[in-house]
């Protein structure tokens, strides 16, 4: 059973990863008192009862008996690697000066877990052992090697030494995707940014995500939008407290820039800036805990181009085959004066433009804006998107395409009634 | 072994000493979540996720037969029917006349040279078999052989009534059991030989007080509610058409359930095998375990084997019993007579296979039963044999088991469908009874007492199916739905409310929702009464589990130890303390505790879950674990039957 090199040693080293224990699952097969197999006349009985069955609840499969981990299992980044190291004296002699040292070798570094600088245990009697439970929060992905070194002195005075290696892989538990949304009312100098974080469970077991918080960079304040109301602790995720494998949860945060000196409102930096980081805490099987922090989330301030188009007013819904109007605001973001012409193209089905295409809008200076009202006719029920607006700068002969400006719901008349 | 194994002595992979550190990949950047863009950005790692090993299950091969049996029209002698119904009448009149009288009806299946044990044979029926001409001679002869069997089981029935003094024929405690035993006069031989067999039915009565008539009525009422089942529309149609044909007993194949066992070989005793493998010949020869040859080949023998944990021998015995009624190996798909007794044997057989984790076999053998709704499984199908009797011959437990089976081979959705179909029928019956009708929704003059008793039974059965649904959802890891089911059960099954809610709490813990678990456990503690000992233990256990989940093993240890102050023999608490001790770094204490538990009463505590923990601790303790595990093996060989699951000993 043992490797030959170990036979030569008086001590043996055993290591076991301590994942959490679990409840024994049984498969009850019950008889009714009238079945020919029933042992007695009251209640349901198992055909071949096991000790793991719940007393008084023979039909339940999940028992109260705990069972030790059966295999190494998977270990994920952010979890705590916990293992039992036991050095046993297999010989019939007293062994002296025993020192156990454990290190963890990752792809980038070597971490001392225990035993470094410790004083050796002076003596170990036959059949006794030295036990240690080692814990280490895993902070790196990939291959890890647990190195256990044992040194001791034999009764004859020889100094002995042996090592054992245990290799395991650290896997990625979560997939995090982030998305920034800027508010539209203040285009050039927005002071509010929304962050959507999609957190996907890529482990193989359900995961109870306890906390996902955004720790903002110093220049911002954050409010979490993941509760139904600010007063209660009611999560928007409802009663289901866990995330199944491959399922994703979305968290939303509103970031506000802190007012800067000399100005009433704060503003978000243009270009690339760091917004803050996400702190995620989860638990799995019987409270196995994991925690991860993302690296700082980078936001690229949206470039708005030469022209910004914002819809100021539009009805939510409209009946089929009727016309509706909506109001747009066109803002110049460039440093030159533009001479604009509006072309309307019927690019998609469902909505048709009403009015003249090729209308002259006139000149628009730097930073200026104008409001225009446009009409459309609905032709198909459903959620329709407004597209096909083309603004042409006649000075530079440049066309700015504006599609999917807004959505409107088109329905039959009787629904409204 | 150590290099490649995740199992083995250590649950850690042990690596080679050759240098991995220098040539390893470049260090991973610790900035793991980089999301610099405005758009959705994905964090990327080079992580190979291990795909979970998906077990492959072979689909049970459908038995196909080259020979298709010709349609038969068996004309059962009308006098038989008369006799059978007469025998029923006699039962009642007998019990009316004599107080201590029990009725025993015996149906024997014999070939030409029958020897009846009993003298008062009233009638032997004749059978007329018509065969369609066969083109192929070989096929013809085969089909004839096969058919003869079927015909014999179907037709050669003799009803006999024996009056006996009740005390003489009552079993031990006098509990009514119907029908009680299936006996074999001879073992079934080869498939071409017509079996020499006798199936004996014994109807034993027990009664309280001195009114046998009343007890006979009560009994049939108990039968009635127990057997009640709502057939599907198609089946109901067949059944109603059969009740119009009085006496005739011809069968059409679509109506028939035609099961057959898939193997009849003896299974080896795994304990003995291991003993021999590890050269404990003396122990092996000393192993004194009940075998098939030491028991009577009937239900009593079967019970004995199961009670001694000899599940493998018991499976073999069920095989023999089923072969004797024409449902032996290779006989699936051939007509045979299903009786309440044969279905009970089937139930036990499949149950044993599940217990032995031979799930694929169990699933294969359960296929012919489908949803247990073929007309021939209803008493109404045999108006001559069971005049006026209504309901299904299928034990309810068998329905539940067959519904649960697919999940054991990974087809949880099939199980869910079947379980919900059971649930629907149970709920329909409960509704019928609640509205004052009988189980079938008919108006009939049944006593209030009967209706209440039946309502209670069917509510219990509804709950039982719900437990199975909850278990199946749990196996599917659909924790949310599972918790919902158990929560609703806690409201239905008031007596077990605390236990069920604790179970829900454990599900929360298992999935990692400590907060919900804690809330629930606190609530339970709040509601508990200090004088309730069982309740106090439950509260302590719950606390212990919560502490474990919070990594507070010392605290958990304290909670479980408190349990022992109330009940020093609480083996679950002892086992859990041992687990805590390991996580606290006290391997030796953990070992001593479990070892002493097992040695204190091996007969009771040589349980697979406990032995698994003990062997895991042995492996961690020293290099002598192999010897220690073999000692356990010898101990198990002394106390355990051939149904023992040796995998828990971790001797490979």
């Amino acid at each position: 059973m043992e490797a030959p090199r170990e036979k030569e040693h008086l001590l043996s080293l055993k290591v076991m990863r301590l994942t959490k224990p679990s409840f024994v699952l049984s498969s009850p097969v019950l008889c009714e008192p009238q079945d020919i197999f029933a042992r007695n006349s009251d209640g349901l009985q198992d055909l071949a009862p096991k000790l793991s069955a719940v007393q008084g609840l023979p039909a339940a499969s999940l028992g109260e008996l705990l069972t030790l981990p059966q295999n190494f299992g998977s270990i994920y980044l952010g979890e705590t690697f916990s293992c039992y190291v036991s050095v046993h004296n297999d010989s019939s002699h007293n062994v002296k000066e025993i020192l156990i040292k454990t290190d963890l070798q990752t792809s980038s570094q070597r971490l001392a877990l225990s035993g470094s600088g410790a004083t050796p245990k002076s003596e170990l009697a036959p059949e006794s052992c030295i036990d240690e439970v080692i814990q280490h929060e895993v902070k790196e992905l990939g291959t890890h090697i647990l190195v256990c070194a044992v040194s001791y002195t034999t009764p004859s005075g020889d100094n002995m030494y042996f090592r054992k290696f245990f290799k395991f892989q650290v896997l990625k538990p979560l997939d995090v995707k982030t998305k920034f949304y800027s508010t539209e009312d203040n285009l050039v100098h927005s002071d509010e940014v929304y962050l959507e974080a999609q957190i996907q469970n890529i482990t193989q077991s359900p995961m109870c995500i306890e906390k996902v918080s955004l720790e903002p960079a110093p220049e911002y304040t954050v409010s979490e939008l993941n509760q139904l109301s600010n007063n209660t602790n009611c999560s928007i995720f409802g009663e289901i407290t866990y995330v199944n494998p491959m399922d994703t949860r979305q968290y939303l945060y509103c970031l506000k820039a802190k007012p800067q000196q000399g100005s009433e409102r704060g503003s978000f930096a243009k270009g690339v800036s760091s917004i803050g980081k996400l702190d995620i805490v989860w638990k799995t099987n019987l409270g196995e805990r994991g925690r991860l922090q993302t690296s700082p989330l980078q936001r690229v301030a949206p470039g708005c181009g030469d022209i910004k188009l914002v819809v100021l007013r539009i009805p939510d819904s409209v009946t089929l085959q009727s016309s509706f109007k909506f109001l747009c605001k066109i803002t110049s973001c460039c440093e030159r004066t533009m001479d604009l012409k509006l072309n309307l193209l019927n690019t998609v089905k469902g909505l048709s433009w009403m009015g003249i295409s090729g209308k002259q809008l006139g000149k628009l200076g730097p930073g200026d804006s104008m409001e225009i009202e446009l009409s459309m006719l609905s032709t198909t029920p459903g959620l329709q998107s407004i597209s096909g607006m083309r603004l042409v700068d006649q000075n530079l002969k440049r066309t700015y395409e504006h599609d999917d400006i807004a959505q409107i719901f088109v329905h039959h008349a009787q629904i409204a009634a | 072994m150590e290099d490649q194994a995740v199992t083995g002595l250590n649950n850690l992979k042990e690596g080679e000493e050759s240098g991995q550190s220098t040539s390893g990949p470049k260090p991973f950047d610790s900035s793991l979540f980089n999301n610099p863009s405005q758009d959705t950005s994905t964090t990327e790692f080079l992580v190979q996720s291990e795909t979970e090993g998906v077990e492959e299950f072979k689909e049970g091969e459908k038995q196909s037969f080259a020979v298709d049996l010709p349609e038969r029209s068996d004309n059962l002698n009308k006098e038989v029917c008369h006799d059978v119904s007469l025998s029923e009448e006699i039962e009642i009149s007998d019990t009316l006349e004599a107080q201590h009288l029990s009725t025993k009806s015996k149906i024997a299946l014999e070939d030409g040279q029958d020897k009846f044990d009993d003298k008062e044979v009233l009638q032997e029926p004749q059978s007329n078999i018509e065969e369609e001409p066969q083109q192929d001679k070989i096929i013809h002869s085969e089909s004839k052989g096969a058919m003869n069997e079927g015909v014999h089981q179907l037709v050669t029935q003799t009803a006999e009534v024996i009056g006996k003094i009740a005390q003489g024929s009552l079993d031990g405690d006098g509990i009514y059991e119907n029908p009680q035993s299936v006996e074999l006069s001879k073992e079934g031989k080869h498939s071409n030989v017509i079996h020499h067999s006798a199936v004996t039915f014994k109807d034993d009565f027990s009664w309280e007080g001195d009114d046998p008539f009343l007890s006979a009525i009560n009994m049939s009422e108990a039968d009635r509610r127990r057997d009640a089942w709502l057939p599907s529309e198609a089946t109901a149609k067949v059944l109603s058409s059969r009740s119009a044909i009085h006496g005739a007993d011809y069968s059409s194949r679509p109506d028939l359930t035609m099961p057959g066992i898939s193997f009849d070989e003896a299974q080896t005793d795994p304990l003995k095998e291991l003993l021999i493998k590890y050269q404990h010949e003396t122990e092996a020869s000393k192993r004194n375990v009940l075998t098939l040859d030491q028991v009577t080949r009937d239900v009593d023998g079967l019970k004995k084997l199961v009670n001694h944990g000899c599940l493998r021998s018991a499976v073999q015995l069920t095989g023999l019993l089923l072969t004797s009624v024409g449902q032996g190996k290779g006989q699936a798909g051939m007509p045979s007579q299903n009786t309440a007794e044969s279905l009970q044997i089937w139930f036990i057989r499949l149950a044993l296979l599940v217990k032995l984790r031979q799930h694929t076999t169990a699933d294969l053998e359960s296929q012919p039963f489908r949803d247990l709704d073929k007309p021939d499984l209803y008493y109404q199908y045999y108006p001559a044999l069971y005049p006026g009797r209504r309901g299904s011959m299928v034990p309810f437990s068998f329905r539940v088991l067959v519904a649960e089976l697919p999940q054991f081979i990974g087809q949880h959705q099939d199980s869910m469908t079947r379980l919900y179909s059971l649930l629907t029928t149970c709920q329909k019956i409960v509704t019928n009874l609640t509205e004052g009708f009988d189980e079938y929704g008919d108006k009939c003059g049944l006593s209030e007492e009967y209706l209440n008793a039946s309502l209670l039974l069917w509510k219990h059965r509804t709950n039982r199916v719900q437990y199975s649904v909850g278990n199946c959802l749990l196996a599917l890891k659909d924790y949310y739905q599972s918790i919902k089911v158990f929560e609703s059960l806690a409201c239905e099954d008031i007596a077990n409310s605390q236990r069920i809610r604790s179970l829900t709490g454990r599900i929360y813990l298992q999935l990692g929702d400590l907060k919900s678990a804690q809330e629930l456990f606190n609530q339970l503690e709040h509601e508990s009464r200090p004088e309730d000992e069982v309740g106090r233990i439950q509260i302590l256990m719950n606390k212990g589990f919560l502490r474990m989940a919070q990594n507070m093993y010392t605290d958990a240890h304290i909670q479980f130890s408190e349990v022992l102050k109330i009940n020093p023999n609480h083996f679950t608490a002892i086992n859990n303390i041992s687990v805590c001790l390991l996580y606290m770094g006290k391997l030796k204490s953990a070992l001593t505790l479990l070892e002493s538990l097992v040695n204190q009463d091996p007969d009771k505590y040589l349980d697979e879950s406990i032995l698994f923990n003990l062997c895991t601790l042995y492996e961690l303790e020293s290099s002598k674990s192999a010897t220690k595990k073999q000692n356990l093996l010898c101990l198990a060989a002394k106390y355990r039957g051939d149904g023992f699951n040796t995998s828990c000993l971790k001797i490979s």
Side-chain angles (χ1 to χ4, degrees):
Chain A
M1 297 292 286
E2 296 299 312
R5 61 186 152 95
E6 223 183 300
K7 277 271 189 266
E8 301 155 16
H9 284 284
L10 304 177
L11 301 182
S12 71
L13 172 84
K14 290 290 159 65
V15 173
M16 171 182 171
R17 181 184 169 203
L18 292 178
T19 42
K20 289 278 186 158
S22 48
F23 297 106
V24 175
L25 274 174
S26 52
S27 30
V29 180
L30 305 181
C31 300
E32 288 190 341
Q34 301 89 346
D35 288 329
I36 54 171
F37 235 81
R39 289 191 178 79
N40 55 49
S41 58
D42 61 36
L44 296 167
Q45 313 136 57
D46 202 296
L47 189 74
K50 299 264 166 73
L51 291 186
S52 52
V54 186
Q55 298 283 305
L57 220 56
S61 64
L62 188 79
E64 294 188 310
L65 206 70
L66 289 167
T67 182
L68 293 171
Q70 310 200 8
N71 50 39
F72 185 84
S74 307
I75 183 157
Y76 295 98
L77 192 70
E79 287 186 343
T80 300
F81 172 73
S82 169
C83 79
Y84 200 106
V85 177
S86 176
V87 169
H88 188 263
N89 187 352
D90 287 345
S91 73
S92 48
H93 315 285
N94 278 359
V95 173
K96 286 175 184 147
E97 299 292 312
I98 306 104
L99 184 66
I100 307 161
K101 200 165 161 285
T102 54
D103 290 320
L104 194 61
Q105 174 74 52
T106 71
S107 44
S108 69
Q109 56 184 328
R110 192 179 179 111
L111 301 152
L113 295 183
S114 76
S116 57
T119 46
K121 193 175 160 64
S122 56
E123 203 170 65
L124 188 65
E127 291 302 310
S128 29
C129 52
I130 305 172
D131 296 311
E132 262 178 31
V133 175
I134 288 163
Q135 292 194 321
H136 169 71
E137 197 184 318
V138 177
K139 291 179 178 137
E140 265 183 72
L141 285 170
T143 310
H144 283 57
I145 298 149
L146 179 72
V147 184
C148 298
V150 180
S151 61
Y152 62 96
T153 312
T154 60
S156 53
D158 295 332
N159 286 328
M160 302 293 282
Y161 174 80
F162 68 91
R163 290 201 298 176
K164 271 193 174 181
F165 298 88
F166 304 93
K167 193 166 148 187
F168 59 93
Q169 294 291 329
V170 175
L171 308 175
K172 191 178 136 184
L174 301 168
D175 200 35
V176 181
K177 291 175 182 168
T178 54
K179 214 171 177 179
F180 287 101
Y181 298 92
S182 304
T183 49
E184 287 190 336
D185 56 330
N186 192 331
L187 301 161
V188 188
H189 301 292
S190 147
D191 70 341
E192 258 185 13
V193 163
Y194 290 88
L195 169 70
E196 178 193 325
Q198 298 181 357
I199 297 176
Q200 188 181 25
N201 172 11
I202 53 171
T203 69
Q204 269 148 23
S205 60
M207 175 185 272
C208 192
I209 298 184
E210 280 194 342
K211 183 179 107 172
V212 179
S213 66
L214 180 63
E215 290 173 7
E219 47 285 30
Y220 308 109
T221 56
V222 68
S223 50
E224 294 192 12
L225 303 171
N226 305 309
Q227 269 81 38
L228 285 181
S229 126
N230 284 339
N231 301 330
T232 61
N233 225 2
C234 196
S235 154
I236 54 159
F237 302 111
E239 289 175 54
I240 301 179
T241 52
Y242 61 93
V243 184
N244 276 318
M246 300 320 285
D247 280 3
T248 303
R249 265 191 184 179
Q250 281 140 298
Y251 292 82
L252 190 63
Y253 302 89
C254 176
L255 282 152
K256 276 197 170 78
K258 283 181 188 164
Q260 284 158 341
Q261 274 192 329
S263 86
E264 261 179 54
R265 307 178 72 180
S267 72
F268 275 79
K270 287 187 177 173
V272 180
S273 62
S274 167
I275 285 283
K277 47 193 175 182
L278 284 168
D279 191 14
I280 307 163
V281 177
W282 72 89
K283 289 210 171 93
T284 54
N285 176 35
L286 214 82
E288 192 89 64
R289 183 179 180 273
R291 184 184 169 196
L292 274 187
Q293 215 167 37
T294 64
S295 57
L297 304 173
Q298 304 288 317
R299 170 181 181 258
V300 181
C304 30
D306 290 348
I307 294 175
K308 188 82 189 176
L309 179 91
V310 178
V311 176
L312 296 178
R313 198 165 62 231
I314 185 168
D316 296 331
S317 61
V318 64
T319 54
L320 188 62
Q321 287 172 347
S322 63
S323 69
F324 64 93
K325 290 182 169 163
F326 67 97
L327 190 65
C328 304
K329 187 179 177 185
I330 298 166
T331 310
S332 163
C333 301
C334 64
E335 302 297 314
R336 59 193 158 81
T337 300
M338 292 184 282
D339 186 11
L340 294 177
K341 187 173 85 172
L342 174 68
N343 289 339
L344 301 171
L345 308 174
N346 283 326
T347 52
V348 286
K349 283 184 183 172
L351 294 173
S352 295
W353 291 103
M354 289 170 73
I356 312 157
S357 179
K359 185 182 170 186
Q360 297 292 336
L361 295 175
K363 291 193 168 23
L364 193 66
D368 285 356
S369 62
M370 62 166 78
E371 292 181 11
I372 50 168
E373 196 174 43
L374 296 163
S375 298
M376 293 192 97
L377 179 72
S378 59
T379 56
T380 311
L383 188 66
Q384 306 297 344
S385 189
I386 299 171
S387 288
M389 223 173 132
R390 302 286 178 264
L391 288 164
V392 183
D393 178 8
Q394 295 170 106
N395 292 341
L396 286 176
K397 300 271 185 275
R398 187 178 286 172
T399 302
Y400 300 95
E401 298 186 351
H402 292 275
D403 291 319
D404 293 319
I405 306 160
Q407 276 85 37
I408 188 163
F409 184 66
V410 180
H411 56 83
H412 288 283
Q414 55 262 44
I415 299 172
Chain B
M1 183 196 100
E2 285 168 349
D3 283 345
Q4 40 111 351
V6 184
T7 54
L9 285 173
N10 305 299
N11 64 2
L12 276 169
K13 271 188 191 170
E14 202 174 325
E16 299 276 317
E17 191 150 356
S18 58
Q20 332 75 357
S21 48
T22 45
S23 62
K26 281 198 171 178
F28 279 94
D29 194 340
S30 58
S31 61
L32 291 163
F33 297 94
N34 266 328
N35 316 287
S37 83
Q38 180 83 6
D39 291 315
T40 307
S41 53
T42 316
T43 55
E44 283 170 20
F45 312 85
L46 292 168
V47 179
Q48 284 183 316
S49 65
E50 285 176 7
T51 49
E52 209 165 31
V54 182
E55 282 185 66
E56 277 186 52
F57 297 101
K58 283 179 194 162
E59 266 268 84
E61 268 184 51
K62 294 238 169 71
Q63 305 252 8
S64 59
F65 294 93
V67 185
D68 211 18
L69 283 174
E71 287 283 317
R72 291 171 306 148
S73 58
D74 305 331
N75 292 328
L76 217 128
N77 202 326
K78 284 200 176 163
E79 281 164 89
V80 179
C81 316
H82 173 72
D83 284 324
V84 174
S85 57
L86 181 73
S87 77
E88 297 287 322
E89 280 161 29
I90 288 168
E91 277 180 30
I92 294 167
S93 61
D94 275 357
T95 46
L96 263 175
E97 283 164 15
Q99 278 194 0
H100 306 289
L101 209 68
S102 136
T103 311
K104 186 175 180 180
S105 64
K106 186 161 189 169
I107 294 176
L109 304 175
E110 305 266 353
D111 69 356
Q113 316 146 341
D114 308 340
K115 281 181 188 168
F116 287 100
D117 300 334
D118 306 293
K119 291 155 197 169
E120 298 154 281
V121 177
L122 295 182
Q123 184 75 38
E124 192 175 358
Q126 304 294 314
S127 64
N128 300 325
I129 307 151
E130 284 173 24
E131 289 177 30
E132 282 172 11
Q134 296 283 331
Q135 292 185 344
D136 188 300
K137 273 187 179 178
I138 301 161
I139 289 178
H140 177 76
S141 68
E142 275 178 8
S143 76
K144 190 176 174 184
M147 199 172 63
N148 276 343
E149 285 168 24
V151 169
H152 267 270
Q153 274 111 36
L154 278 168
V155 179
T156 322
Q157 290 165 338
T158 307
E160 185 192 345
V161 181
I162 308 160
K164 272 192 180 176
I165 302 299
Q167 264 81 357
S169 64
L170 270 179
D171 279 334
D173 47 14
I175 287 154
Y176 166 64
E177 289 167 322
N178 175 52
Q180 206 233 17
S181 67
V182 176
E183 284 169 14
L184 283 174
S185 64
K186 269 185 189 173
E187 209 180 304
K189 286 177 189 168
H190 302 291
S191 55
N192 277 353
V193 179
I194 295 159
H195 302 296
H196 298 246
S197 62
V199 179
T200 311
F201 296 45
K202 214 165 41 174
D203 282 10
D204 289 344
F205 297 359
S206 74
W207 55 79
E208 291 163 293
D210 294 323
D211 193 343
F213 179 67
L214 201 67
S215 72
I217 297 293
N218 281 341
M219 182 203 67
S220 65
E221 284 191 338
D223 276 353
R224 184 198 159 96
R225 56 177 170 257
R226 189 195 65 201
D227 298 336
W229 194 252
L230 306 179
S232 68
E233 230 167 84
T235 302
K237 222 169 158 185
V238 175
L239 292 177
S240 65
S241 73
R242 288 195 64 90
S243 61
I245 313 158
H246 187 77
D249 189 19
Y250 49 77
S251 315
S252 62
R253 287 175 70 89
D255 292 351
L256 299 180
T257 308
M258 295 174 285
I261 63 171
S262 63
F263 71 96
D264 55 9
E265 298 83 10
Q267 298 191 6
T268 50
D269 174 6
L271 277 170
K272 194 160 186 169
E273 239 175 29
L274 275 180
L275 283 174
I276 291 166
K277 185 174 171 190
Y278 290 97
Q279 280 126 37
H280 298 283
E281 272 87 6
T282 46
E283 300 284 342
S285 60
K286 265 198 280 174
R287 178 158 164 76
N288 182 22
V289 65
L290 209 56
T291 60
L292 193 56
D293 304 325
Q294 288 164 286
V295 297
T296 50
R297 301 204 166 177
D298 55 14
V299 173
D300 288 330
L302 199 53
K303 278 186 182 180
K304 226 177 200 168
L305 286 173
V306 173
N307 289 339
H308 284 81
C310 298
L311 306 192
R312 287 169 214 271
S313 303
V315 168
Q316 207 195 344
L317 181 50
T318 59
L320 291 176
L321 292 173
L322 290 169
T323 306
S324 77
V325 295
Q327 301 179 344
K329 192 176 173 184
Q331 286 176 303
M334 297 184 193
S336 55
Q337 172 102 354
N338 291 296
T339 59
E341 299 68 40
S342 73
L343 289 164
Q344 285 275 358
I345 302 294
W346 269 110
F347 164 51
I348 286 152
R349 179 174 173 89
L350 296 186
L352 290 170
L353 288 173
V354 167
K355 286 284 174 191
L356 290 168
R357 294 170 206 226
Q358 298 173 9
H359 297 130
T360 321
T361 315
D363 183 63
L364 172 71
E365 294 194 357
S366 78
Q367 293 294 339
F369 293 105
R370 303 241 176 102
D371 43 9
L372 295 161
D373 185 52
K374 292 270 186 165
D376 72 333
L377 299 178
Y378 291 85
Y379 287 111
Q380 298 98 297
Y381 195 74
Y382 314 96
L385 263 179
Y386 310 103
R389 193 161 175 182
R390 197 176 180 187
S392 171
M393 302 192 294
V394 182
F396 185 74
S397 308
F398 190 32
R399 290 187 188 278
V400 177
L401 179 68
V402 169
E404 285 175 331
L405 266 178
Q407 66 175 304
F408 299 128
I409 55 162
Q411 290 160 0
H412 296 80
Q413 288 307 337
D414 282 2
S415 275
M416 291 301 289
T417 311
R418 291 187 192 184
L419 286 169
Y420 269 104
S421 149
L422 285 191
L423 201 56
T424 310
T425 307
C426 290
Q427 282 164 344
K428 186 90 211 306
I429 292 175
V430 167
T431 311
N432 287 339
L433 290 164
T434 325
E435 287 168 356
F437 300 109
D438 72 354
E439 292 88 352
Y440 302 93
D442 298 332
K443 263 262 180 280
C444 60
L446 288 162
S447 69
E448 187 117 325
E449 205 181 331
Y450 172 84
L451 290 179
N452 286 338
S454 186
L455 186 60
L456 192 68
L457 172 74
W458 283 98
K459 276 187 172 166
H460 276 144
R461 286 181 166 180
T462 311
N463 285 350
R464 182 174 165 195
V465 178
Q466 277 177 329
Y467 275 108
S468 297
V469 169
N471 291 343
C472 184
L473 287 165
L474 194 60
L476 260 178
K477 290 196 174 176
D478 189 344
Y479 294 119
Y480 177 71
Q481 292 299 336
S482 174
I483 286 168
K484 284 267 159 220
V485 168
F486 285 119
E487 272 176 353
S488 80
L489 262 173
C491 304
E492 300 272 324
D493 195 353
I494 301 290
N496 286 318
S497 172
Q498 195 198 32
R499 289 194 183 102
I500 301 168
R501 286 163 72 199
S502 300
L503 169 74
T504 318
R506 291 200 298 278
I507 301 176
Y508 278 126
L509 287 182
Q510 187 87 71
L511 77 92
D513 185 356
L514 273 57
K515 205 176 121 201
S516 302
Q518 186 162 16
E519 272 171 25
L520 185 58
F521 287 159
N522 285 346
Q523 210 178 330
L524 283 171
E525 189 175 1
H526 192 71
E527 290 166 15
S528 74
R529 288 165 294 122
E531 70 273 13
D532 173 17
E533 210 165 77
V534 179
R536 261 164 62 213
I537 290 181
Q538 183 77 67
I539 301 297
L540 289 168
M541 295 289 276
N542 291 348
K543 276 188 182 171
F545 295 136
L546 184 68
R547 293 288 177 271
M548 291 203 86
Q550 293 166 332
N551 285 329
M552 294 152 77
Y553 296 105
T554 318
D555 281 14
H557 182 277
I558 294 169
Q559 302 296 336
F560 292 132
S561 305
E562 285 292 316
V563 174
L564 295 187
K565 285 185 189 160
I566 304 171
N567 176 6
N569 293 319
H570 201 288
F571 56 85
T572 308
I574 295 174
N575 172 76
N576 293 351
I577 289 172
S578 169
V579 171
C580 283
L581 284 169
L582 179 73
Y583 286 79
M584 290 158 67
K586 297 176 177 172
L587 172 62
K588 285 275 187 209
S589 324
L591 252 176
T592 319
L593 192 64
L594 267 197
E595 239 174 5
S596 63
L597 177 72
V598 171
N599 288 327
Q600 159 199 334
D601 186 355
D603 194 26
K604 183 171 180 191
Y605 296 122
L606 275 172
D607 180 82
E608 282 138 32
S609 321
I610 289 176
L611 289 185
F612 176 85
N613 283 346
L614 185 54
C615 290
T616 308
L617 295 177
Y618 277 150
E619 286 177 357
L620 185 56
E621 186 213 11
S622 80
S623 348
K624 289 171 191 155
S625 65
T627 325
K628 295 190 173 180
K629 285 194 271 187
Q630 285 176 32
N631 289 343
L632 277 184
L633 170 68
C634 295
L635 197 62
K638 214 161 156 188
Y639 288 95
R640 287 289 177 255
D642 62 17
F644 187 79
N645 182 2
T646 51
S647 68
C648 68
L649 294 173
K650 299 171 127 193
I651 304 176
S652 49

